[in-house]
Amino acid sequence: RTMVFIAMMTYFFYDYNRRVLFYSNTSSPPMPLHHNRRVDFSMFQPERNNYCPANEEILNSAPMNKNQGNDACSEIMLFLPGVNFAYYGHGSQLNNYIAASMIATSMGVPMLLLEPPLENQKFQKGSQFGCPSEIASLPDGLDLARFPSGLSRLIDHPSWLSRGCSIPACQKIQDYDKLVDSLPKVGYRVANFHCQDSNRDGKTTKVYVTAAYNVRFRLQFIHDGLKQGGISREQILLWALSLGSTMEEAGHFSNITNTQDFWNFAMALMNRSGILKLQPWIARDIENHIKTFRLPFNYDQTDSDFDAIHIRRGDKLLYESKKEVKKYWKSRGHNHPPVNYIPFEHYLRYYVKDDCVSRGVKTINRDVYLATDDPIIVKEEIATLIKVNGTRDGTLLVDGCYSLKFHFHPTQSDSTAETFHIQHGGPKGDCVSRYERSIAALSDLIILTKSSTFIGEYNSNWGRLVRLMRISMDNCIKIEKGILGVNETVRIKDVRIAFGSEAPLPSGL
């Protein structure tokens, strides 16, 4: 409790100075949330707004290490993102990274990524996400040590999470294979050990290690602890401060009793601080790639006026979605489903005539971007619907109100039907093909997160990830004054669930 009090008082002075500087430099009211500003293609989450500004001084001064005052690197958590997980999809790996970040901040310790050494990498030129133009033409034997490998090829790990710490220089960490072999194979436990770190003049560093395959077990353990009241208010205060909150926000965070509200607030803080920042070459190539789409709507504005639907089929139909498919068809009188998926028409049930009535209009025109791993069948479904309820300009009229014009990724033509999973399409071992699939997939993901309304489902890692990236802080000034309720503190951009559970999972699960 003494250390918590010291950390809180130290942070109070940083926060006080920060707010004095911010408000003294604000000569006019903040810009509204819906101002037009170009999208930062290096970030998935909502663009930062002047109502709830992130401040680098807050992030750099928050008491990340709970025990050692100014010695932020005396305890660290190493996250090994590639262990038994590099072959999973983009959504799975990004959700895992968020889960690991939540675990580290809940512990109040910096997090660093430990990628496999290049000689241990199973992928050409060192990453499951492929290679950009900077290194695509380099000979395989050339030393690539200066270019990030593994997940770090994709993610620019933020300094507010690493606190400027470096990977400890000790034998147990340098032998990567032995380190991996020493980790728990299943369960929620986080391995830990002490090492004499030569990077810190031989000082002792306590190292926590978690691998990609067990972070979700650990996060579920934390979630269960929250539900059972097993995490103290002091721990939650430090967690909030580690996420870059103000003291008022930390106090508000510690008073939240509903677990879903808790995770929403935690994710809003993390988004504001800047999680899932893409490497500059990834952001560059996503922006250039999306420009080739020639989309008729303003995808490059922070509040674009278009909708997006994610239709995940593929291998999900064999496992996660199988029960929901049977349930759907049974509700329509089919004990034996005529097809093994939920039809596209079901995703459109949110477009209703009542909206036209309430607005006093005959028709509402909407552009709808479709991201799917089953483009040929979805296009056939749309063509069938248009034959019955189409308009002269080729749009689909839904419930006599909404006129919907659909848009696909341009490479998903009827002849190629490309999907963008890391393991699908093209030579799987070729780093250029892998990179192209990564850019295509992440471009879809960016568009989904920026849409006005998103329709998807939580059986999919993409559906869960898109929701997380649409959460932002709101009403921060009222939080500072303590005059609003829990449900008024975050803004979740419109999310609709096509089928399955409507209860979101904890951030990263």
Side-chain angles (χ1 to χ4, degrees), residues 98-116:
I98 290 174
S101 302
M102 281 293 182
I103 292 168
T105 51
S106 74
M107 296 167 63
V109 298
M111 183 179 99
L112 289 83
L113 303 186
L114 181 61
E115 305 285 2

Side-chain angles (χ1 to χ4, degrees), residues 62-69 71-76 108-110 242:
M64 176 65 86
N65 194 290
K66 60 184 181 296
N67 292 322
Q68 296 296 329
D71 192 359
C73 303
S74 61
E75 293 186 38
I76 64 165
V109 298
S242 295

